[in-house]
Amino acid sequence: MTTNRICGSNPWRTSVDRLLGCEQFPPPTSMPDAIVGWYLEPYGLVASVIGHMLGVPVILRHAGSDLGRMRNLGGLKRFYDWALSHATQVITGKKQVAIEILRSAGVNEKAIVRCRGRRLCDSFSQLHDEFDLRTVVEHSVDWFSRYQLDPETLNALNEWNRLSLDCDGPVIGTYGKIAEVKGTYHLLDALEQLAERGDNFWYRGIWSATPNRLQHALGYLHRKPSLKGRVTILPPLAPWRIPAFIRSCNAVAFLENRFPIEFHGPQVPREVLACKRPLMLSREIFNKVYFKDQLAEEVNVMVIDDPHEVSAMANQISRLLNSPELLNCLGHHAGALSRILEAKALRSDPIVDVIEDVGGNERRAQAFG
């Protein structure tokens, strides 16, 4: 391999070469056929740089937040656009907004691969392990101790978690990133109203956040003393443990609203449906999911029109958790809808087809279009 193959004459590429010191790298003993970067930062950028160094094809797969938000922060646009425009293939969904962003980043039209999603893992639709809450709470003590929380907040969190272990009420759960646009704070406000009027319930959340954001959210929670003994906050869990968590709840809420990325397509609703659990969905996400036409309010989903309307949301949560008939109806029809959705999804991830195509094999046409 020569230096010319690694280092181009383009000024921006030359600056990358200088930054990396390409001339110092000896030729590798074996070459990869392709390099895959899933999510632009850091993996996609690293994949692009290594592919540039080795002169091999690079396949990138973006998400909603990297292309729709992070690309607009500081000087990231220059780096992102360089990586995207030099990729052999860029995998995206069907949203035209995302495709236009890729075009504006300099991605060649022939390099844009529009794919539909793959089928969920069988663990969502088939009962496997039970969720061992006590063990997870025990492990969470060590996890949160590494999270840079102040000692008062950390001690309060561990105490609240211990006190909630013996709660025997119906459980409403959430999992994933926390933020106002995720409905986190408005849900806590609604639960506070329910607690103050004596409703029987328990909230269980897997919260994913930066230390500062987690500190802020826990501070907000701990200023609601009526929720003490009713709330369990867990750290992020391995993906294969999420189905058991979902099934440990009587209902799961996904309340994303006023989200700044138009083409964001979360998978949480499908996961909850596959676990045959009642799904509480914000109107915004109800209107965004590709299977909107197959959703029926209070048949296979409960819709929260606006999570900012806290009292209205509290009333809906109360009505759901106190109605075994409604819970059973939503859970039963959630499972029926999920079987239809997953039967139409691809068995393997489309990225496999793209890798095979780059490697010289014929692309399986049903994954694209």
Side-chain angles (χ1 to χ4, degrees):
M1 179 184 299
T2 65
T3 302
N4 288 337
R5 183 175 180 185
I6 299 175
C7 305
S9 60
N10 180 287
W12 169 235
R13 295 186 69 178
T14 302
S15 68
V16 173
D17 299 332
R18 293 197 187 105
L19 175 65
L20 295 170
C22 292
E23 297 85 355
Q24 301 175 17
F25 287 89
T29 56
S30 62
M31 292 284 289
D33 295 312
I35 300 175
V36 177
W38 194 314
Y39 201 84
L40 293 181
E41 188 172 336
Y43 312 107
L45 294 179
V46 172
S48 296
V49 170
I50 295 175
H52 171 77
M53 289 164 49
L54 300 181
V56 299
V58 173
I59 301 166
L60 297 182
R61 185 165 195 167
H62 72 82
S65 56
D66 54 9
L67 201 64
R69 181 177 65 86
M70 295 176 65
R71 180 174 173 266
N72 301 320
L73 300 177
L76 290 180
K77 182 178 184 297
R78 186 183 184 197
F79 289 93
Y80 279 25
D81 289 1
W82 176 84
L84 290 164
S85 62
H86 286 85
T88 306
Q89 305 272 250
V90 179
I91 299 175
T92 187
K94 301 297 186 66
K95 298 286 187 179
Q96 191 62 32
V97 176
I99 293 170
E100 291 301 326
I101 293 176
L102 294 177
R103 288 170 177 161
S104 71
V107 181
N108 186 289
E109 192 69 32
K110 293 182 179 180
I112 299 176
V113 182
R114 303 165 178 84
C115 296
R116 57 191 176 96
R118 69 175 293 268
R119 185 178 302 179
L120 292 176
C121 295
D122 289 342
S123 58
F124 286 97
S125 57
Q126 299 175 9
L127 181 62
H128 292 283
D129 298 333
E130 296 289 338
F131 189 70
D132 188 345
L133 179 64
R134 289 186 178 275
T135 299
V136 175
V137 168
E138 289 174 6
H139 289 320
S140 74
V141 175
D142 179 63
W143 173 275
F144 285 126
S145 70
R146 305 166 188 263
Y147 223 76
Q148 304 172 27
L149 301 173
D150 68 52
E152 183 180 353
T153 300
L154 179 60
N155 291 335
L157 170 61
N158 291 332
E159 181 187 8
W160 279 46
N161 280 352
R162 286 193 299 270
L163 290 174
S164 66
L165 284 174
D166 295 324
C167 181
D168 60 357
V171 178
I172 180 169
T174 65
Y175 65 98
K177 296 177 182 177
I178 60 172
E180 183 164 344
V181 295
K182 296 291 187 178
T184 307
Y185 296 96
H186 297 99
L187 177 59
L188 293 178
D189 291 342
L191 296 178
E192 180 183 38
Q193 288 190 12
L194 296 182
E196 290 177 347
R197 69 193 198 193
D199 275 34
N200 186 31
F201 71 91
W202 185 13
Y203 169 69
R204 184 178 300 164
I206 295 176
W207 283 10
S208 177
T210 61
N212 287 341
R213 178 166 288 184
L214 182 62
Q215 174 83 44
H216 180 272
L218 289 173
Y220 190 85
L221 169 62
H222 294 157
R223 290 193 294 273
K224 300 180 180 299
S226 62
L227 292 179
K228 190 172 184 178
R230 296 173 175 265
V231 172
T232 310
I233 303 300
L234 305 174
L237 299 178
W240 54 87
R241 301 182 71 183
I242 294 299
F245 169 81
I246 295 173
R247 282 188 283 268
S248 76
C249 303
N250 295 91
V252 177
F254 190 75
L255 303 173
E256 189 173 287
N257 66 94
R258 295 163 175 81
F259 201 74
I261 303 170
E262 181 181 343
F263 57 90
H264 184 233
Q267 189 168 279
V268 170
R270 278 176 60 201
E271 294 175 350
V272 177
L273 293 173
C275 288
K276 304 178 182 65
R277 284 297 180 268
L279 172 64
M280 300 185 68
L281 206 59
S282 65
R283 178 69 66 181
E284 179 174 311
I285 295 299
F286 177 91
N287 289 327
K288 275 186 177 181
V289 295
Y290 71 89
F291 50 91
K292 172 189 174 182
D293 292 343
Q294 294 170 274
L295 291 176
E297 296 186 43
E298 304 211 6
V299 176
N300 54 25
V301 68
M302 173 169 274
V303 179
I304 305 296
D305 282 316
D306 185 358
H308 285 234
E309 299 293 334
V310 172
S311 294
M313 179 164 61
N315 290 335
Q316 283 187 273
I317 294 173
S318 178
R319 186 164 64 87
L320 174 61
L321 295 184
N322 288 293
S323 173
E325 295 81 8
L326 184 55
L327 286 169
N328 289 334
C329 174
L330 291 176
H332 172 77
H333 290 101
L337 172 58
S338 176
R339 288 191 290 273
I340 295 172
L341 296 177
E342 302 311 317
K344 295 180 179 179
L346 299 173
R347 287 185 175 273
S348 63
D349 196 286
I351 201 167
V352 175
D353 300 274
V354 176
I355 292 171
E356 291 178 348
D357 185 47
V358 169
N361 296 322
E362 183 178 354
R363 184 186 304 169
R364 291 196 292 254
Q366 69 266 28
F368 309 98

